[in-house]
Amino acid sequence: MNQAVGTIGMMGGEGDDPTDAAWESIRAGLRRDCGARTFDNWLKPARLAGFDEEGGTVRIALPSEFMANWVETHYSERLLHAWRAHLPQVRRVVVLTGAEVQKPTLFAIEPAGTVEAAVDEIQAEAVGGVEGIQLEGRYTFETFVTGKPNEVAYNAARTVAEGGALTFNPLFLHGGTGLGKTHLMHAMGHEYRRRHPRSKIVYMSAEKFMFEFVGALRAKNTHGFKQRLRSADLLMIDDVQFIAGKDSTQEEFFHTMNEIISAGKRLVISADRSPQDLEGIESRILSRLSWGLVADVNPADFELRLNIIARKLEAMPQVQVPQDVQLFLAKRIASNVRELEGALNRVIAYAMLSNRPIDVAFVEETLTDVLRAHQRRITIDEIQRKVSDHYRIRQSEMTSARRAREVARPRQIAMYLAKQLTPRSLPEIGRRFGGRDHTTVIHAVRQIEKLRKADAELDADVRLLLRQLEA
Ligand code: ADP
Ligand code: MG
């Protein structure tokens, strides 16, 4: 990634430059949207450091690494959208530290959540016979913290990356968002590259796969596209759920998979859900996936969250974050690692700027909105997943019309939990369970309330599910 930033200040002084005009208008918009206080604290000091027309990259600089990191975490997506609205040729926004504008910030240089979109640029030009790729530098095996929830995925990833004989192919990694799938894929890229410097590695989001394929179709030049992918020694396609329902892309994807596998090359695919829950993906692709190793990346448990915090802090020895604060964060931000990282970064940034020591009271004050959001962040999808796992049925039964007891009862339990744990209305819950009527939901809720009193086993199940979902 760390591409040289050679155009800083390029448009300095040129008031009529369209990028300057866009930036002024974007700033005004941000001030309106975010409120004067947030704007003055965080966004006002941001300045436009450059625009690289060829790569469509806008560079925004902030005075400190912490501020850069905060803006990156909270505003990069919004910045990107705003830029695109003004100048469609903008493809990414890079947040830099002003003091060392030559280098991207320590944490991340790409819009949060769309790291993949930006990082998966494949540099086509060959470097000494090796095709280069852009991988996020900090996503390595060394910086990936392992624990029970992710060790199978981690070990599988290492096995593929080490390049020895493979007993499985493809590797299919699945798990919810922000749990480290992309991190693992990039780590594989780094490691495989280290061990096989002359090999060709291709990492691409499925979204990009689709856009490029469709572009190639339009340009009547699918040959180049096919060649590029099929000549990879290690091919990684991230977030494959994206091509659900996209038929011609899936067709191409299927052939790519086949070619890579039958040539004995390595294939790694990720998705945000398991093969059986990947609706809208052709069954021949799914069956190919399940020939390989299917490894899930589970949500980080408390211990892993604590270890991740500790590891991040090791890299910032100048920052003092007491143990009780670490425990507090690990306990309260349980949704995913990305949010945990974001919360930690925000606390540190605020403390630096306000010159205050970090204690629990300070964290509660700084993260009020995040913490509040986390108290009600249980989703219907999560409930459906958890309940189907618990009863070992397919998640699709949650929305199916089947009335057999073994699926109907878990479905009712899930509706009951959705009523208890989310702010969703009855009609809304009904809709999310395969378009059922709200009276069906009422019936389910009453039924489970009654059964909880009469059936100890069912009651224990519900308690367990409640506990797990609220954890
Ligand atoms: P996904 O692709 O599953 O949505 P990412 O790989 O983008 O998730 O991870 C989100 C963020 O959390 C990244 O910054 C990543 O480095 C971090 N992260 C996730 N899991 C771990 C882990 N086990 N150890 C260290 N960092 C992690
Ligand atoms: Mg990802």
Side-chain angles (χ1 to χ4, degrees):
M1 40 152 211
N2 304 1
Q3 58 186 35
V5 175
T7 49
I8 302 302
M10 208 173 59
M11 56 280 275
E14 286 172 344
D16 52 354
D17 189 300
T19 30
D20 280 345
W23 180 227
E24 274 321 303
S25 147
I26 289 167
R27 279 163 60 92
L30 285 170
R31 191 184 159 92
R32 216 171 32 240
D33 293 350
C34 311
R37 202 163 138 226
T38 306
F39 182 84
D40 287 346
N41 277 341
W42 299 102
L43 296 161
K44 198 172 173 191
R47 69 191 175 76
L48 179 59
F51 176 57
D52 157 28
E53 208 139 346
E54 210 168 300
T57 304
V58 167
R59 282 178 287 273
I60 304 289
L62 279 123
S64 74
E65 192 168 282
F66 288 104
M67 292 181 82
N69 191 34
W70 193 88
V71 167
E72 141 81 12
T73 308
H74 295 89
Y75 286 97
S76 54
E77 215 141 342
R78 192 177 299 195
L79 280 167
L80 183 61
H81 286 309
W83 272 103
R84 283 207 173 129
H86 285 82
L87 296 174
Q89 67 267 41
V90 170
R91 288 172 50 220
R92 55 175 168 165
V93 172
V94 175
V95 181
L96 307 154
T97 309
E100 35 170 7
V101 145
Q102 298 300 319
K103 269 197 310 186
T105 61
L106 177 71
F107 298 88
I109 59 160
E110 309 297 352
T114 60
V115 168
E116 34 292 65
V119 177
D120 64 11
E121 293 297 311
I122 296 171
Q123 290 176 333
E125 87 273 18
V127 186
V130 183
E131 179 162 331
I133 54 165
Q134 294 190 327
L135 294 171
E136 168 70 53
R138 71 194 171 100
Y139 289 171
T140 63
F141 283 127
E142 288 66 42
T143 57
F144 191 82
V145 185
T146 57
K148 272 262 160 339
N150 61 22
E151 66 188 354
V152 172
Y154 172 85
N155 287 330
R158 273 219 97 107
T159 305
V160 173
E162 280 167 8
L166 269 189
T167 50
F168 58 85
N169 198 22
L171 169 61
F172 180 70
L173 296 171
H174 69 91
T177 178
L179 298 180
K181 300 181 297 296
T182 297
H183 186 137
L184 275 178
M185 289 179 126
H186 284 230
M188 294 168 79
H190 288 301
E191 183 67 18
Y192 194 78
R193 159 88 129 242
R194 196 173 67 76
R195 290 171 182 254
H196 306 86
R198 301 191 65 81
S199 60
K200 179 168 169 186
I201 302 167
V202 176
Y203 166 89
M204 206 184 249
S205 65
E207 182 178 14
K208 173 119 174 172
F209 181 96
M210 183 181 90
F211 287 138
E212 293 217 349
F213 175 63
V214 171
L217 271 183
R218 221 171 269 145
K220 299 198 172 23
N221 176 26
T222 51
H223 182 73
F225 176 79
K226 286 181 210 270
Q227 273 307 104
R228 223 175 68 201
L229 291 188
R230 295 179 190 185
S231 60
D233 298 295
L234 169 60
L235 173 64
M236 300 184 279
I237 307 282
D238 206 352
D239 288 320
V240 81
Q241 73 278 355
F242 189 85
I243 59 168
K246 313 280 186 345
D247 293 343
S248 62
T249 302
Q250 288 194 35
E251 166 99 30
E252 179 60 23
F253 183 74
F254 178 71
H255 293 305
T256 307
M257 283 178 82
N258 273 341
E259 292 259 342
I260 291 280
I261 294 172
S262 60
K265 309 292 188 56
R266 278 148 220 262
L267 178 64
V268 184
I269 290 165
S270 83
D272 66 353
R273 62 202 82 170
S274 66
Q276 56 277 23
D277 290 326
L278 271 173
E279 276 164 29
I281 300 278
E282 286 180 21
S283 57
R284 56 182 182 164
I285 293 181
L286 297 180
S287 88
R288 270 269 145 161
L289 288 178
S290 48
W291 284 7
L293 181 71
V294 176
D296 50 355
V297 185
N298 293 296
D301 55 17
F302 178 68
E303 189 187 340
L304 180 56
R305 297 199 296 273
L306 208 49
N307 288 339
I308 288 172
I309 293 176
R311 182 76 71 85
K312 304 263 170 218
L313 291 174
E314 266 171 35
M316 296 183 259
Q318 74 279 21
V319 181
Q320 295 304 314
V321 179
Q323 188 65 24
D324 61 339
V325 169
Q326 298 183 32
L327 290 165
F328 179 82
L329 286 170
K331 180 154 180 287
R332 297 291 295 276
I333 317 256
S335 51
N336 69 54
V337 181
R338 184 179 293 129
E339 298 209 358
L340 184 63
E341 264 184 352
L344 181 64
N345 289 337
R346 179 160 159 194
V347 166
I348 293 171
Y350 263 119
M352 297 286 285
L353 287 167
S354 59
N355 239 327
R356 284 175 54 184
I358 300 174
D359 54 26
V360 172
F362 177 75
V363 172
E364 280 183 311
E365 184 187 320
T366 312
L367 298 180
T368 317
D369 51 340
V370 181
L371 295 171
R372 198 182 307 127
H374 273 263
Q375 281 170 339
R376 52 170 166 73
R377 185 68 75 77
I378 302 172
T379 64
I380 291 182
D381 190 59
E382 228 174 297
I383 293 171
Q384 294 182 333
R385 192 170 335 134
K386 190 109 239 147
V387 173
S388 346
D389 279 356
H390 182 84
Y391 288 101
R392 294 178 197 287
I393 59 174
R394 287 159 154 247
Q395 194 177 329
S396 55
E397 297 290 9
M398 289 289 148
T399 52
S400 79
R402 263 206 329 139
R403 290 162 175 228
R405 169 72 66 87
E406 72 266 21
V407 297
R409 187 70 82 218
R411 195 187 294 130
Q412 287 183 320
I413 290 179
M415 289 186 210
Y416 168 85
L417 291 170
K419 183 76 200 93
Q420 305 292 320
L421 299 175
T422 74
R424 304 273 166 243
S425 67
L426 294 168
E428 170 119 44
I429 294 173
R431 266 198 299 283
R432 299 286 304 275
F433 282 81
R436 290 179 155 78
D437 195 71
H438 75 280
T439 53
T440 310
V441 184
I442 296 176
H443 175 72
V445 172
R446 295 213 177 115
Q447 183 74 9
I448 299 304
E449 275 168 357
K450 206 165 76 199
L451 283 171
R452 283 191 71 177
K453 297 196 185 102
D455 179 342
E457 198 177 324
L458 181 139
D459 185 51
D461 280 351
V462 173
R463 273 171 204 277
L464 177 71
L465 286 163
L466 274 168
R467 221 175 23 248
Q468 289 177 340
L469 284 161
E470 281 173 330

